[in-house]
Amino acid sequence: MRAWVVMVGLLAYPSVALAGDFRGQAGVDFLFAQSQDDVPTAGVPESLTAQELGMRIRFDAREFDGRLQLAVDYRGREPVGGDIQNSALRLLYQAELSFIVAKDVLTVSAGRFIAPAALLLPVDGARVAYSPSRKLHFGVFGGRRAISISRRNLDFDVFRPAVGGSVRFVDRGLQAEVAASYAEDQAVLLKGSADDSEEVTEDYGSAGVYGRVTARPVAQLLLGGQASFLEQARYIIGPQWSAVEVDVDAFNVWSGNVFADWRPLRALQLDYTFHYQEATAYRAGLRLADGAEVEEEQAPYFVDNRVRIGWRPFNRGWIRVRGRFRVRPDRQERRLGASLRADRIGIPGLYVDGRVWYDDIEFDEDAKEAPDLDRLWWSAALGFRNFGLDASVGVRLIDRFAGPVSGRAFNPGQAGQPADVVDLQPFTLETQRIAFLRAFYAQKVFFAGVDAELNVEDAEMRFMVQAGTFLEAAW
């Protein structure tokens, strides 16, 4: 087979040599987490644990002087024990074969790839990149959605079309891109009680478009902006699966931001970002346990302003001051913070890092039962960065409880799993008073790391260890 491919390649491009290269990396990790449930549910132990194994494989291979290229990116996670287990994730994000028909002009590709879109869109199909000049670049793609927005593999007998295209302009000091796409998806719905749950799916289509531009009028100033619109994005909700049934929660999302990044001096940095986002949500098919139906339309939004100033006095370290003012329909959020990182304190590679933030959240007068969300957050660490090692040890404190938040779906109807639990609480420590240790080492062919957190008040802990290798070859 290889001989046949080589012969065809030589006939089509007689000047092409059999020269190529390979670059890749492979890594594994192990995650352990343990948390205490202050208000345990009947039948659920007070101390909950979770363990996961993870894997990442990514490589690029080129042949025929780089004309033929293969790119692969695989990520997987497997539960290996514990009281709460996530569903296994085995996701192939990229397995794409590309052929350069004309260098810097025309490239055709086929396989699995991440398409340019306003939302994550892995596609099984083909795409073409065409550049009539060094400044103008076109791209089109088509195929089937490979992975749902819920991060589930779609069976190969399930065809959910995905099409789109993009235009990009690149010039000295200016880059602009516009992309549009349409894709169908498969939403996973959980209905019924935890004892008798049924997993069903519902198909839907969604169109999206985004545009972004960056400009550097002078070397010290970078300006940019991005706007995107996503029609009928989907988010499946289930605050308590035994109490409600949810069909689909659909919403349209507008989002836009502009920023300015100014470096007037090597020791001075000034940044500003403005961000606006609005999501028009429509909930349909939400039925409470007593049979009452809920249908409503909402338009949550926020307007965000962020400012950052950085100063490096006497080339000894960075002092940064940050401010944020965010407006929501029912409240205003103000955040002020400062950080100090001293990296030249007598011993090469040694540094100290300290940060403090304060959130002042003020609800409108007519807000019902407004919670107290003001909080103070600070952290301090001593670290070392040299000889391929980056390590730090320190403490972090948040003076207000912030409950666990996770985007991973938990199925209480799964055999052997508790029906009522806080969402993945072992993966986010309930306490906010934490001592931590982080270390990462990398050299030419090997890397390893550890990230550990310990509750300073009880036995809660979480740690991850990882190791991997870099691979390179040329012929």
Side-chain angles (χ1 to χ4, degrees), residues 338-359:
S339 64
L340 169 64
R341 185 184 182 95
D343 51 22
R344 292 196 174 184
I345 54 178
I347 300 177
L350 192 67
Y351 66 87
V352 293
D353 188 286
R355 310 181 185 194
V356 60
W357 284 269
Y358 178 72
D359 286 346

Side-chain angles (χ1 to χ4, degrees), residues 253-382:
V253 177
W254 289 92
S255 180
N257 68 78
V258 294
F259 70 88
D261 186 342
W262 188 30
R263 303 290 189 268
L265 302 171
R266 293 185 61 182
L268 183 62
Q269 301 176 353
L270 304 171
D271 300 324
Y272 171 74
T273 301
F274 172 85
H275 186 191
Y276 174 82
Q277 181 169 300
E278 179 178 334
T280 303
Y282 178 72
R283 296 181 177 181
L286 179 63
R287 289 178 293 277
L288 301 180
D290 58 6
E293 292 190 3
V294 177
E295 292 189 2
E296 59 181 357
E297 184 173 344
Q298 300 175 339
Y301 72 89
F302 68 80
V303 180
D304 195 68
N305 295 270
R306 300 191 183 199
V307 178
R308 184 181 69 170
I309 302 174
W311 178 44
R312 187 175 176 85
F314 310 109
N315 199 30
R316 295 293 182 180
W318 282 101
I319 299 175
R320 290 187 170 90
V321 179
R322 297 176 174 88
R324 188 189 78 183
F325 178 59
R326 174 176 289 183
V327 178
R328 296 182 183 269
D330 62 338
R331 62 186 183 270
Q332 296 180 352
E333 304 173 0
R334 303 173 184 86
R335 169 175 289 185
L336 296 175
S339 64
L340 169 64
R341 185 184 182 95
D343 51 22
R344 292 196 174 184
I345 54 178
I347 300 177
L350 192 67
Y351 66 87
V352 293
D353 188 286
R355 310 181 185 194
V356 60
W357 284 269
Y358 178 72
D359 286 346
D360 177 22
I361 301 178
E362 180 180 349
F363 284 83
D364 296 339
E365 294 182 358
D366 57 350
K368 298 180 180 179
E369 299 180 358
D372 181 11
L373 299 182
D374 294 350
R375 66 177 181 177
L376 177 69
W377 175 27
W378 63 264
S379 68
L382 176 67

Side-chain angles (χ1 to χ4, degrees), residues 69-70 95-99 108-113 123-127:
Q69 302 178 1
L70 174 64
E96 184 180 23
L97 187 65
S98 303
F99 184 70
V108 295
S109 307
R112 179 169 296 186
F113 52 88
V123 174
D124 287 334
R127 58 178 170 175

